[in-house]
Amino acid sequence: MALLEVDDLTVTYGAIRGVSGISLTVEEGEVVALIGANGAGKTTTLRAISRLVPSRGSIRFAGRDLTRLRPHEVTALGVVHVPEGRGIFPRLTVMENLELATWTRRRDREGIRRDLRRVFDLFPRLEERRDQVANTLSGGEQQMLALGRALMTRGRLMLLDEPSMGLAPVLVKEIFSVIQEISASGTTILLVEQNAHFALKIARRGYVLETGSIVLSGPAGAVAANPRVKAAYLGA
């Protein structure tokens, strides 16, 4: 049984279909990339899994049906969503943002302390800016904070939506390096990313989404080598 199983997922906005009957799986410990152009349905897919938008079809996490749950109940089960645009609390400090992520396990003080140390080891700049208000951070630092906050939840599955958006190339490399470290530590990741080169480089498998439908899937190397993908997403 896969950790995440999505079957025949459909999301509609009025008369418009955001995604149409897609199916995908994510195995425990994998990084799976979901790539596609703007408007293909990538963000909608993640939002449906998190139950931020209603959908039809089946969504199962660790064997549990998510379709009737509310977003906070999905988070409590271990699905953590890092949204496009980062979704940090702009007027709170770095520490306050990180502490808010521990609301479901606030009595686990020793575990929270260890996880905070892990976040600061991954992102030393966050420790330097722990008392700084989040909206005064650079774009790269805000993305680090979004990832750090996700780690503080101790989720089993991380849904990452466009983590490289708006970042300078040198920061993109840094963020993807950290994503690899997060994966190596045991967190399963479903990654939505327009930078298909980096996404498929760190993923085990990939799905290509076009106008709400999956048109290609397979091992990441095979997806990256596909002539259609190379022409559309890899600049080849």
Side-chain angles (χ1 to χ4, degrees):
M1 180 179 66
L3 182 62
L4 176 69
E5 300 172 287
V6 176
D7 186 47
D8 198 25
L9 179 71
T10 296
V11 179
T12 57
Y13 300 100
I16 300 172
R17 285 198 172 188
V19 293
S20 182
I22 69 170
S23 298
L24 60 86
T25 60
V26 182
E27 301 289 339
E28 185 104 43
E30 279 192 311
V31 177
V32 173
L34 183 59
I35 65 172
N38 279 336
K42 307 185 303 298
T43 292
T44 295
T45 299
L46 295 193
R47 287 174 62 81
I49 294 167
S50 294
R51 308 315 301 146
L52 294 170
V53 295
S55 64
R56 297 193 303 275
S58 172
I59 305 168
R60 300 186 69 83
F61 172 70
R64 175 81 178 268
D65 182 9
L66 302 185
T67 52
R68 296 182 182 274
L69 300 184
R70 291 177 289 180
H72 73 274
E73 294 172 322
V74 174
T75 300
L77 287 177
V79 179
V80 56
H81 190 161
V82 182
E84 180 182 359
R86 295 147 197 156
I88 59 174
F89 296 99
R91 296 187 180 182
L92 300 183
T93 66
V94 167
M95 274 299 298
E96 288 168 338
N97 268 273
L98 295 175
E99 288 168 348
L100 273 176
T102 65
W103 66 273
T104 60
R105 46 187 288 254
R106 51 190 175 274
R107 295 183 180 178
D108 181 21
R109 294 183 180 180
E110 181 58 27
I112 290 171
R113 186 192 64 79
R114 288 195 302 268
D115 291 343
L116 185 61
R117 183 68 264 157
R118 178 191 177 202
V119 168
F120 286 156
D121 286 344
L122 283 171
F123 302 112
R125 273 176 280 183
L126 292 184
E127 185 168 23
E128 294 169 6
R129 293 157 174 75
R130 59 190 295 160
D131 297 319
Q132 190 168 326
V133 176
N135 66 1
T136 66
L137 300 175
S138 70
E141 289 163 354
Q142 289 184 18
Q143 186 62 66
M144 293 173 192
L145 179 55
L147 288 169
R149 190 179 62 182
L151 287 171
M152 292 298 292
T153 68
R154 278 201 190 173
R156 290 177 66 187
L157 172 66
M158 187 179 292
L159 308 177
L160 287 181
D161 195 353
E162 303 286 5
S164 75
M165 179 176 287
L167 301 185
V170 65
L171 284 175
V172 171
K173 290 182 180 180
E174 184 176 349
I175 290 296
F176 273 96
S177 176
V178 170
I179 292 171
Q180 286 181 290
E181 288 188 54
I182 292 170
S183 171
S185 72
T187 302
T188 304
I189 297 172
L190 177 57
L191 171 65
V192 160
E193 179 57 57
Q194 283 194 7
N195 190 323
H197 171 74
F198 275 109
L200 293 172
K201 187 174 181 180
I202 70 171
R204 182 182 298 173
R205 294 186 297 114
Y207 292 88
V208 180
L209 198 59
E210 291 183 1
T211 59
S213 299
I214 291 174
V215 296
L216 181 68
S217 65
V223 172
N226 183 280
R228 180 176 177 181
V229 172
K230 291 171 72 173
Y233 307 109
L234 301 178

